[in-house]
Each structure stands twice: as C-alpha cells, then as structure tokens.
C-alpha cells in the first residue's frame, strides 16, 4: 500500500478453495489500507467474507482494488459491513475502484456488497470484471446511490463486464453526475431517480432454460443474456426501494 500525495493505493485479495471436508477454505484473505477483510460465520459448505472500510474512501486520487477467486467445488459469499462512500479528497484527480472476480467450473460466488454512494464533488470510476468457467455460478449485485440526502451527486462512472468461458456476455457502462453525457438524468436515463442497480445471475442450467424477459415491480427489468446468464436492471428513488426491487427480481428468477 502507498499513500503519497497522489492518493492511496491498496489491494485486497480473497481465494476460496474446497477444504477436503465438504466446506470451503480461505487460504488467501489479505486486506490492505482501507480494505479490511473478515471471515464471518457461513453455512456448512460456504465461506463468508465481509469487506470492512477501515478508513474513509475512496477519496480523490485513490486506487483501490479487490480480487476474489473461487476454485472448483468452493462456495464464497462476499458482502460489506456498510455502504461505500465516494468523497472528494485533497489529492487531485479521479478515484478508481477495481473489482476482479474469477470463478472456476464448479465454483460459486455470491458478490453482494452494500451500496456505493457518490457524494457531492467526488469523481469515481468503478470497474467490475467477472471471468467465469462454463459451469460456474455467480450472483453479482451492484447498487449506486447518487448523492446523500438533500445533496447533489458527484461524478460516477461504472463499468461492468462478465465473461463466460472466455466469451463476453455483458459489457456495459453507466456515467452519471456533473460532466456525464447529456441526458443521463432525463426520461431516457434515470428519469430523476437517484438510485440505480444491476444484478447478474449466472447458472449453467440457463443454457437449456433461459430466463424470459419481463418487467418486475415498478422500475426493474429482467433480461436474458447471450449465455447461461440473466441481467436485472433497476432504478428507484432511494436505496431501500432499489434493494427491494432487486430482491424481488432475484426471487422471480428462482
């Protein structure tokens, strides 16, 4: 980790593999800087990890990275203890938050962090990449809240890409806040709403029985992807309503 005037550089790493007794071991669980990792109580075959913010951030100029790998036969659930708050910092320039996920055949990852809040005057680029084997399983949730209560948002650019067996099934980018392309908050964009989320579900059985496209609740849509995967996109007025929409959509997928 470094903390020069250009901001903090920190990387947290997680590796999950079968423990030989029907459970999941974590031979690598290494936090750094503001990214602290804690193993919590899981189920018989699933390991659970919480990401705990040990410092404020990401701030302007920071570059934070989380890497998580799941081997064949392992099951991993990753959450966070609280929302991530993007803030302006003393260092000039944008902040970056990279998430790199790898799931082997026979592995399963549930990536379910709390919301990312874009505070006024912040500038954050988030890049999430998931690389899966053809028989891997994934539930990945992203939630972004634009501004705190009564506050204008900062600039937030979020890119999400998913590859299965080396084939890209999803690669999308959303940019919101000051300086974002025109129309992001208009009727063709968020329509004045301040919370937006995505949910990606990958299951091998979707190859034979793909998810049908449909609307869920008010503001959420389920779409099949070109692979054994489905995408849920939702917009809402606040974080609580957004979570309810995403949970309802996940339940509808079954």
């Amino acid at each position: 980790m470094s903390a020069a005037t250009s901001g903090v550089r920190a990387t947290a790493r997680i590796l999950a593999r079968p423990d030989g007794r029907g459970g999941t071991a974590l031979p690598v669980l290494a936090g750094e800087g503001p990214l602290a990792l804690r193993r919590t109580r899981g189920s018989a075959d699933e390991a659970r990890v919480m990401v705990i913010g040990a410092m404020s951030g990401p701030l302007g100029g920071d570059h934070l990275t989380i890497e998580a790998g799941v081997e064949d036969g392992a099951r991993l659930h990753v959450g966070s203890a609280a929302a991530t708050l993007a803030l302006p910092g003393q260092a000039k320039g944008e902040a970056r938050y990279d998430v790199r996920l790898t799931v082997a055949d026979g592995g399963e990852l549930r990536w379910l962090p709390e919301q990312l809040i874009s505070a006024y005057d912040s500038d954050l680029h988030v890049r999430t990449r998931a690389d899966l084997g053809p028989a891997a399983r994934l539930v990945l949730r992203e939630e972004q809240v634009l501004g705190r209560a009564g506050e204008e948002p900062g600039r937030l650019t979020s890119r999400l890409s998913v590859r299965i067996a080396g084939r890209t099934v999803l690669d999308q980018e959303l940019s919101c806040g000051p300086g974002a392309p025109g129309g992001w908050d208009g009727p063709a964009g968020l329509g004045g709403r301040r919370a937006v989320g995505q949910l990606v579900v990958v299951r091998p059985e979707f190859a034979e029985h793909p998810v049908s496209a449909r609307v869920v609740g008010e503001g959420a849509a389920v779409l099949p992807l070109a692979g054994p995967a489905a995408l849920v996109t939702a917009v809402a007025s606040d974080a609580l309503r957004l979570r309810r929409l995403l949970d309802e959509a996940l339940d509808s997928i079954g």
Side-chain angles (χ1 to χ4, degrees):
M1 180 189 70
S2 64
T5 56
S6 59
V8 172
R9 304 289 187 271
T11 300
R13 296 179 175 87
I14 308 168
L15 177 63
R17 66 168 49 130
D19 64 4
R21 303 185 300 275
T24 298
L26 298 174
V28 178
L29 187 64
E32 192 176 49
L35 301 173
L37 304 176
R38 298 289 183 270
R39 181 165 189 169
T40 61
R41 185 183 298 274
S43 61
D45 59 349
E46 179 186 72
R48 289 193 174 223
V49 173
M50 296 294 289
V51 180
I52 301 171
M55 298 161 51
S56 296
L59 306 176
D62 290 355
H63 189 170
L64 309 181
T65 303
I66 299 182
E67 299 174 352
V70 182
E71 296 185 356
D72 182 6
R75 296 183 63 214
L76 176 64
H77 179 132
V78 180
S80 58
T84 298
L85 181 60
L87 295 165
Q90 293 183 351
K92 295 188 180 298
E94 67 190 25
R96 302 193 65 87
Y97 200 140
D98 291 334
V99 177
R100 301 167 186 165
L101 310 176
T102 305
V103 188
D105 272 349
E108 181 174 348
L109 173 62
R110 295 176 63 83
W111 186 266
L112 301 171
E114 295 301 309
Q115 299 89 359
L116 169 64
I117 301 172
S118 174
Y120 175 72
D121 206 31
S122 63
D123 185 359
L124 177 63
H125 283 237
V126 181
R127 180 76 164 92
T128 301
R129 288 172 286 186
D131 202 335
L132 286 73
R137 293 177 176 270
L138 173 71
V139 177
L140 183 155
R141 182 181 69 210
E142 286 192 341
E143 298 169 316
Q144 290 101 26
V145 178
L146 305 178
R148 293 169 288 192
E151 175 185 71
E152 290 298 312
R155 174 71 182 271
L156 175 63
T157 301
S158 176
R159 184 172 179 182
L160 171 62
S161 59
V162 179
R163 295 197 312 166
I164 302 175
R167 178 187 179 190
T168 298
V169 300
L170 176 67
D171 191 353
Q172 68 175 24
E173 183 172 287
L174 175 68
S175 188
C176 303
W184 70 269
D185 200 24
L190 301 186
R193 298 176 178 89
R194 285 294 178 263
V196 58
Q198 297 77 232
L199 187 70
V200 179
V201 182
V202 179
R203 295 174 183 165
E205 54 265 33
F206 288 168
E208 296 294 331
H209 305 285
V211 171
S212 59
R214 59 188 179 274
V215 174
V216 178
E218 185 177 350
V222 179
L223 297 171
L225 297 177
L231 170 68
V232 178
T233 301
V235 294
S237 57
D238 57 47
L240 180 59
R241 289 180 176 85
L242 178 66
R243 178 66 59 84
R244 287 174 177 168
L245 278 173
L246 293 176
D247 286 347
E248 183 180 352
L250 183 58
D251 289 341
S252 76
I253 292 173

